[in-house]
Each structure stands twice: as C-alpha cells, then as structure tokens.
Amino acid sequence: MKLRVFLTAAAMTLAATASYAEAPKYIFLYIGDGMGMGPVNAAQNYNRTVLGNDEPLTMMQMPVVGWSQTYSASAPVTDSAAAGTALSTGYKTKNGMLGMTPDTTNVYSVTKTLSEMGYGIAVATSVAPDDATPAAFYAHVPTRKMLNEIDRQMAEAGFNFIAGADLRSDDKGIFDYMAENNVQVVRGLKGIEEMKSDKVVLINETNPLHSNNIGYTIDSIAGALTLPDITKAALTQLERTSPDRFFMMIEGGNIDHALHANDGGAAVKEILNFDSALKIAFDFYKAHPEETLIIVTADHDTGGLAIQNGKGSGIGNIDYQKVSKEAFNDYCKGLLKSRMIYTWADMKEYLTENLGFYTHIPVSAEQEEKLESLFNETFEMRNSADQKTLYATFNGFAAEVFRIFNDAAGLTFSTTGHSGNPVPVFVAGKDADLFKGFNNNIDIAAGILKAVK
C-alpha cells in the first residue's frame, strides 16, 4: 500500500513536471487601450497606402485571430477598470472597480498565479502606471479613483518591473514606501541605465503637457520615454532577473487618450508606435517559437472610429499633422493666458504650418467662415462652447479644427466615449489556438491559466 502511494505521488510529480515543462515560458499580453477594429483598420490603411509597406502591421501577421466581447457586469459599455479586471483576472465587475467582483470580493490577476509559479512579472504602459488597466494587474479597490491605495499596492506587488508616466496620487510618502518595499524608482531614459534592483518602477520625466501620459508620438517630445523604450527596458529587466520564464503586459494607453479626443491622426500614430513595441516581442517569439505566447487585444473600443472617403490625399493628410489635438488645445490655452494680441491671420499661419490647412487640407469658404467665427468667440470674446472628453476639455475652436482635419483624412467618430463594439484578438505562439474564435474578455485570463496549468 505504501509502495502504491509512493508510486502515485511520484507519477503525479512527473506529470506536473511534464505539464510545467510544456507550458509557455514567455508570455506577452499587449493591450491597446480603446483599440477597436476601426482604429486598427485605419492604422493598417495608413501603413499600406501611405508608408507603402507590403507587410501588414505586426499584429495582423499573427496566425490566430479572434474577437472579444467587452461588456461589464454593470453596463453594455465597459470602462477600463472593469475591462482590465476581466482581462487580468477572468472575472466581470462593475465599471470603476479594480480587482474585485461587484460584491467587493477580491479576485486575483494571472500575475499572482504566474508569480507563484516562478514567472517574472512586468506591467508597463504609456499612461500612468496607476491608471485602470495596469492597476488591474495588481490592485484591489472598489473605485479606480483610490490612487493612494493603488500606489501603495503597486509598491507591495513585488513585480520585477512596472513602468509608465508619473504616479498620480497625493501620497507624499509613496516613494519612501517604495524604498521600504525594496522597489527602486528611476526616471526617464537615463533611469533605464540605472536599473539595478530586482524590483524597479520606471516613470517618465515630468511631461511638460500632462502627467497622466508619457506624451503623444505625434508631438515628438524630446527626451520623453516611448512605448518601445519601455518595452525594451521591461524585456531587459526580465531577462536579467527571471530569464527562465516571465509574463509581460504592455499597454498602449495613449491610443485611448487620442481616441477620446477624436484625434484620428494621433490615434493612428499611437497604434503604429504600439505595433513597434509589439515587434520587440514578436522578434523574441521568432527566436523562441516553441516557448513563447503572444496575445494582442484591447480592453474596449473608443470613439467608434470608421474610415470614409477623405479629401485630397485622404489618410495621407495625417503626415501634415505635427501636433496632437491636446497639444494644440494647450497652445490655445497659453495664448489666452498670455493675453497677447493674436490675430486670425496668425492662427491661419499656425494651422498651415502644423496641420497643413490651406496648402494640403482643403478649407472651404463656409468652413473658414465658421473657423474665424469660433476663433473670435474663443480669443476675443472668450466665450467658446467646450467639448468635454474623459481626459481633456477642448475649446470649440480646437474641436472644429480637428473635425475638419478628420474629415479630410477620411476618419469619422461616433462618440468621444467608449463603444460596445467587440475588439480584435491576435495571437501567436504556443497554445495560440486557445484564443481563437468569438471570445469574451474573461476568456483571455482563463486561456493564459489553461496554457500554464
């Protein structure tokens, strides 16, 4: 009897060892925040027709393709907190909640299970690391607004690498608390070279525009971190601290910010940037094809973007856009604050130089009349109706400028919020077939756990 028990235990150990050996060693989850199929299609259209690339976007080269439903436990249209919780834990929750079921019971991310199995963990984003999607991988709070609690839980998470824009809490002791938890905090591109600890938080140097993201690709902010920079740093850290197996979540958070702003040009450039960060993982997969799993999806669709017939060179007009809608809006705010004399002729010159108006973007007499009227309301009468979105409030003049630009680029939006549209799922590598077909967002976490157990 004892021999039988011994043999059974030995067989179970061998089976577990074999299963563990067969599990993917390197797991990459890429989340394009707000990146529904409309934005992906717009980016691929630009990639093909303007950049002239014969190869499609990296995500579109992945052999397994599916769809994912994104509704939350409280609404047909999810927010990022509920969607992030579903993707990371496999549980639906109410909008606004992180790492909890609707009755406030804690549920745990795949990062906890994988960490207990010996996987190194990295969570990184182009927005704040305490924003909803990254926080869903380590935090448990009834509302995403509890930033002090989220940042403390970030320090306690024990991850090898967390990165993004600056922390947003007003906890003056948070960096001391990070140090107490043996977390090294480094800033900016120089900080990447200073990473020495097994647990690192990399945050951006102060963004001259906003602290909740690292800056838009289209604004070309000198010295700012980029998503590819962050991805390379995450991979370097994981290969140093946990070379045998690791999990990495990379979020393209600025995609969502641009789509909320209905800034089509910035959104396309953010998706291309996200795809460049994805190529780092895809190249790693090519070197380790039997050991790597890559999943690319979105937490929800933002903006309801669709392609229509543009004017002039259509989507190629994006190349004449040198500033994001947020940067342009901040430029306008600066003019108002300075109270300098700034004429319509001055603004026309700015629009020509930075958005291609009049030279490449056709502006009809009717459109110019409306623009000049809004300009006068904004800068002379200082009485402009605002366009409010999740992350910014735009004056009426800025909103109209970018409506005209989107129209010329052939990009149309149905909302400045989220939509209930399903989102794409692109997968490559070991156990990729677990994610094919029409999924629910909770199936992503379930598939990852099935692959490793």
Side-chain angles (χ1 to χ4, degrees):
M1 183 67 177
K2 290 182 179 179
L3 179 61
R4 185 181 301 169
V5 171
F6 173 77
L7 289 174
T8 301
M12 289 174 65
T13 300
L14 286 171
T17 302
S19 174
Y20 191 59
E22 292 171 1
K25 294 181 179 180
Y26 312 110
I27 303 171
F28 297 86
L29 174 58
Y30 277 72
I31 300 173
D33 196 340
M35 192 183 71
M37 198 60 214
V40 172
N41 194 30
Q44 171 54 24
N45 188 19
Y46 178 89
N47 178 62
R48 178 178 59 84
T49 62
V50 181
L51 299 183
N53 289 329
D54 293 330
E55 285 191 348
L57 298 175
T58 301
M59 66 185 82
M60 288 186 163
Q61 297 179 41
M62 297 194 171
V64 173
V65 179
W67 290 96
S68 178
Q69 301 175 83
T70 64
Y71 62 88
S72 73
S74 59
V77 179
T78 189
D79 83 325
S80 290
T85 298
L87 289 170
S88 66
T89 71
Y91 287 87
K92 295 277 188 182
T93 194
K94 292 181 181 178
N95 287 354
M97 299 182 74
L98 283 169
M100 290 181 168
T101 55
D103 64 357
T104 71
T105 300
N106 285 357
V107 285
Y108 293 90
S109 166
V110 293
T111 55
K112 181 176 176 61
T113 302
L114 292 171
S115 181
E116 291 173 349
M117 295 176 67
Y119 283 75
I121 305 294
V123 169
T125 180
S126 59
V127 295
D130 52 15
D131 208 346
T133 302
F137 286 82
Y138 60 80
H140 309 278
V141 287
T143 170
R144 61 189 288 182
K145 296 178 182 179
M146 297 174 66
L147 295 175
N148 289 7
E149 290 80 359
I150 290 171
D151 283 354
R152 292 263 164 168
Q153 291 179 40
M154 181 195 305
E156 298 162 0
F159 292 175
N160 300 94
F161 185 86
I162 295 176
D166 214 345
L167 306 185
R168 299 176 299 154
S169 73
D170 58 9
D171 184 348
K172 294 180 180 179
I174 186 58
F175 293 111
D176 289 337
Y177 194 67
M178 292 276 185
E180 290 172 17
N181 283 272
N182 300 311
V183 178
Q184 180 191 13
V185 179
V186 296
R187 282 187 177 271
L189 293 172
K190 291 182 179 178
I192 294 174
E193 300 173 3
E194 299 168 358
M195 296 190 309
K196 297 178 181 178
S197 173
D198 286 350
K199 295 185 287 185
V200 170
V201 168
L202 168 66
I203 51 182
N204 201 28
E205 296 285 359
T206 302
N207 184 343
L209 295 178
H210 305 285
S211 63
N212 64 356
N213 65 66
I214 61 174
Y216 289 106
T217 302
I218 205 164
D219 288 327
S220 303
I221 300 172
L225 288 170
T226 68
L227 197 60
D229 290 332
I230 291 171
T231 303
K232 289 175 185 176
L235 187 56
T236 297
Q237 174 74 348
L238 289 175
E239 288 181 316
R240 181 178 69 82
T241 59
S242 186
D244 294 333
R245 49 185 52 86
F246 57 73
F247 168 87
M248 182 191 301
M249 191 288 287
I250 300 292
E251 183 203 20
N254 274 354
I255 299 170
D256 184 59
H257 285 217
L259 291 168
H260 273 293
N262 286 179
D263 185 349
V268 166
K269 293 295 178 72
E270 287 303 321
I271 292 173
L272 293 174
N273 186 259
F274 176 76
D275 203 65
S276 295
L278 173 61
K279 189 177 185 302
I280 295 167
F282 200 61
D283 288 343
F284 183 93
Y285 153 71
K286 289 178 180 177
H288 308 273
E290 301 302 319
E291 303 169 309
T292 304
L293 170 64
I294 305 177
I295 308 154
V296 183
T297 189
D299 51 353
H300 52 73
D301 173 72
T302 299
L305 176 65
I307 298 175
Q308 62 181 2
N309 287 326
K311 297 177 180 178
S313 56
I315 203 164
N317 286 322
I318 288 174
D319 282 347
Y320 306 114
Q321 182 181 347
K322 299 177 183 178
V323 294
S324 66
K325 186 175 178 179
E326 284 192 36
F328 176 66
N329 197 57
D330 284 341
Y331 174 74
C332 292
K333 287 179 181 178
L335 293 174
L336 288 167
K337 187 176 181 180
S338 71
R339 292 189 172 273
M340 65 180 290
I341 298 174
Y342 192 85
T343 67
W344 171 236
D346 294 326
M347 180 56 76
K348 286 180 67 175
E349 183 178 348
Y350 179 94
L351 295 177
T352 299
E353 291 179 357
N354 292 280
L355 289 161
F357 276 37
Y358 302 102
T359 55
H360 298 92
I361 307 297
V363 180
S364 68
E366 182 180 357
Q367 287 173 327
E368 177 161 6
E369 182 179 354
K370 184 174 183 179
L371 281 175
E372 186 172 4
S373 175
L374 285 168
F375 174 85
N376 291 332
E377 288 178 14
T378 302
F379 292 96
E380 293 184 12
M381 292 180 282
R382 298 175 183 268
N383 182 29
S384 171
D386 291 332
Q387 178 192 47
K388 294 184 178 180
T389 70
L390 183 60
Y391 296 105
T393 298
F394 301 98
N395 64 65
F397 177 70
E400 181 63 17
V401 165
F402 277 81
R403 189 197 65 76
I404 292 172
F405 188 90
N406 287 333
D407 187 50
L411 302 175
T412 182
F413 292 87
S414 61
T415 178
T416 58
H418 299 174
S419 84
N421 293 337
V423 296
V425 180
F426 306 103
V427 196
K430 188 166 180 57
D431 296 316
D433 283 347
L434 290 171
F435 305 90
K436 68 182 180 181
F438 195 68
N439 299 288
N440 201 305
N441 53 9
I442 58 175
D443 296 329
I444 301 298
I448 292 172
L449 293 178
K450 186 174 182 179
V452 301
K453 287 187 174 182

